[in-house]
Amino acid sequence: LLGRLDAERGWEEGYKTLAHWLAWRCGMAVGTARDHVRVAQGLRERPLIQAAFERGELSYSKVRALVRLGPEFDEGQLLHYARYASASQLETIVRGASRCVAVERAAESHQAERSFCWSYDEDGCVVFRGRLPGEQGAVVVRALEAARDELGPPPSEATEGLAWPEAEQTISQEARRADAFVAVATTALAEKASSADVYQVLIHIDTESLTSGDAGATGLAGRCHLEDGVPLSPHAVRRLTCDASIVTALERDGNTIDLGRKTRTVAPALRRALHLRDHGCAFPGCSQRHHTDAHHIQHWVDGGRTDLDNCVLLCRFHHTLVHKGLFRIRKDADGLGWFRANGTPVPQAPRQPRGECTQVMRIGDPASRTTRSLYPREAMPRGALLGWSVEALLDGRLARRE
């Protein structure tokens, strides 16, 4: 079903991807939903594995592992391994085959696979993880080494009062690299702080352009464009001015005769309060927590107040949909109510009725399958050599390519 929805793009409007819709609809984490969608996409190209999965011969864990291999691998051979290997053994075999293929494609894939991400640990620490091509990674390593040498060793006071394991960890090479990493980031940020306006997007808007007409209009009176002259649509203007810095300028005959001070429509204190209350995008089912905008439920140009009751956090995607008129927000005593353009409500967490199985397969039922286990112990002895299994898969892959 997911494969059909993905092919026809049949999920409901208002969700970034099928995975986001599935997470909202079925109450699962977005990461889990992405995994289901990936498996559904992979099954469309593997009819034999799909049929075995539909008959209940393969578990989801095994199918998830198999679809990670490309279409150049022999599907019948993959299915044979899946039937006679445990899920753990199959994961190991697939991982080994994937690594061999990755080595072949290394030269082309290194640049495309570059990444850098971070996450928050349970104790509040930030965990970084990255991958760079060799030549780019060498630049980062040299920068960290230079910062480490410039900082020098930690002062002796850093280990006072600590037991020897904690003291050794405090002055370890790993700790010094962490200090160097922070120093490089701090230096880069300090250099940009003095010229922050260089990195802002400037929009020129006449007063009548912001207040006249409705958000669904196709044009605005007066001037409304980016600094380089690119015009903006009405809904884009109202979205961007929801949470922006405003500078009032008085002009006469096209010449600026007075320039006011820059003010923010949403002050930093209000933004912190919104993050504490909403914890990210408030749209039903959206899990994005960072890079959000403060949206005025009633726009400030229409008389709406810039306070906690009239503002809500939205990610850029849903902020755009709201200002396009595809969704509306209504605030009442029970909180925020979300509605589509046709007036139908969008529930926060929809509850669907449980499905009913039309066929029940019982172990030992001769009509469904034999009483013999699908995973005989003798077919995959303990300690089966990984190398042989991977070589067999790769040989089948090469034969198909030839």
Side-chain angles (χ1 to χ4, degrees):
L1 290 176
L2 281 178
R4 288 166 52 189
L5 278 175
D6 181 62
E8 301 169 3
R9 299 189 62 84
W11 65 89
E12 298 179 57
E13 189 176 23
Y15 294 90
K16 302 176 185 178
T17 62
L18 175 59
H20 285 84
W21 175 86
L22 180 64
W24 167 77
R25 193 76 177 178
C26 297
M28 63 176 64
V30 176
T32 305
R34 289 195 184 102
D35 196 50
H36 280 73
V37 172
R38 180 186 63 82
V39 173
Q41 293 170 341
L43 282 176
R44 292 210 305 265
E45 303 174 354
R46 296 168 175 83
L48 296 180
I49 297 176
Q50 181 178 356
F53 186 33
E54 188 174 359
R55 292 193 300 268
E57 297 177 4
L58 299 181
S59 67
Y60 174 77
S61 297
K62 292 187 175 184
V63 173
R64 179 180 59 187
L66 292 178
V67 298
R68 287 204 295 267
L69 295 177
E72 67 271 18
F73 284 88
D74 183 77
E75 187 179 5
Q77 192 178 27
L78 293 177
L79 188 59
H80 175 80
Y81 270 94
R83 281 176 170 153
Y84 297 109
S86 68
S88 176
Q89 290 172 329
L90 189 63
E91 282 279 358
T92 304
I93 294 172
V94 169
R95 193 181 305 117
S98 298
R99 288 174 179 171
C100 292
V101 175
V103 171
E104 298 177 359
R105 303 172 179 171
E108 297 82 8
S109 64
H110 280 179
Q111 180 66 19
E113 292 178 354
R114 69 192 187 281
S115 64
F116 186 78
C117 59
W118 56 87
S119 60
Y120 291 88
D121 213 344
E122 294 178 354
D123 57 359
C125 293
V126 184
V127 180
F128 296 95
R129 181 179 178 85
R131 177 184 174 89
L132 289 173
E135 66 280 6
Q136 296 180 11
V139 174
V140 176
V141 170
R142 294 297 178 268
L144 292 177
E145 289 177 344
R148 179 198 60 193
D149 295 341
E150 185 177 357
L151 290 174
S156 57
E157 293 82 1
T159 59
E160 288 184 0
L162 298 178
W164 72 264
E166 291 80 7
E168 185 177 2
Q169 185 176 5
T170 302
I171 61 175
S172 65
Q173 288 294 330
E174 290 78 6
R176 294 186 61 190
R177 294 189 193 110
D179 294 339
F181 182 73
V182 175
V184 170
T186 304
T187 302
L189 194 60
E191 292 175 353
K192 300 296 185 294
S194 60
S195 56
D197 286 347
V198 177
Y199 300 96
Q200 292 185 349
V201 177
L202 301 182
I203 306 173
H204 299 277
I205 311 169
D206 285 348
T207 304
E208 58 268 25
S209 299
L210 192 59
T211 58
S212 64
D214 61 297
T218 56
L220 289 174
R223 182 173 55 172
C224 175
H225 57 77
L226 295 174
E227 188 176 17
D228 56 2
V230 177
L232 295 177
S233 62
H235 63 79
V237 171
R238 294 175 72 90
R239 174 177 61 85
L240 292 171
T241 54
C242 254
D243 184 7
S245 300
I246 305 295
V247 177
T248 304
L250 182 62
E251 293 187 352
R252 179 183 297 161
D253 299 328
N255 298 317
T256 301
I257 60 177
D258 185 39
L259 193 65
R261 297 182 61 185
K262 181 171 67 174
T263 60
R264 287 200 62 85
T265 55
V266 178
L270 177 57
R271 177 173 290 277
R272 287 193 294 268
L274 287 171
H275 278 286
L276 289 174
R277 186 194 67 184
D278 297 339
H279 305 289
C281 181
F283 190 88
C286 185
S287 59
Q288 183 165 332
R289 299 186 60 184
H290 304 288
H291 306 293
T292 54
D293 299 331
H295 168 70
H296 287 73
I297 299 175
Q298 181 184 9
H299 205 287
W300 57 268
V301 298
D302 299 327
R305 300 179 59 182
T306 304
D307 56 18
L308 197 59
D309 290 335
N310 190 48
C311 291
V312 63
L313 286 183
L314 293 176
C315 66
R316 308 287 163 76
F317 177 81
H318 290 116
H319 199 181
T320 301
L321 295 187
V322 169
H323 279 283
K324 282 184 176 181
L326 299 178
F327 294 91
R328 291 184 293 105
I329 308 175
R330 184 185 304 165
K331 190 174 182 63
D332 52 29
D334 297 329
L336 295 179
W338 293 85
F339 299 87
R340 299 180 179 88
N342 59 7
T344 57
V346 181
Q348 284 287 345
R351 291 189 173 274
Q352 301 300 319
R354 299 285 294 180
E356 295 183 0
C357 295
T358 56
Q359 295 181 351
V360 179
M361 296 183 65
R362 297 183 298 273
I363 295 178
D365 186 353
S368 61
R369 53 183 173 178
T370 63
T371 56
R372 185 183 178 187
S373 169
L374 288 173
Y375 314 108
R377 242 178 259 172
E378 64 272 16
M380 182 64 71
R382 179 182 300 180
L385 293 179
L386 170 64
W388 290 356
S389 302
V390 172
E391 287 178 9
L393 289 179
L394 293 175
D395 288 343
R397 168 176 170 266
L398 294 175
R400 286 173 57 85
R401 292 175 63 182
E402 293 172 357

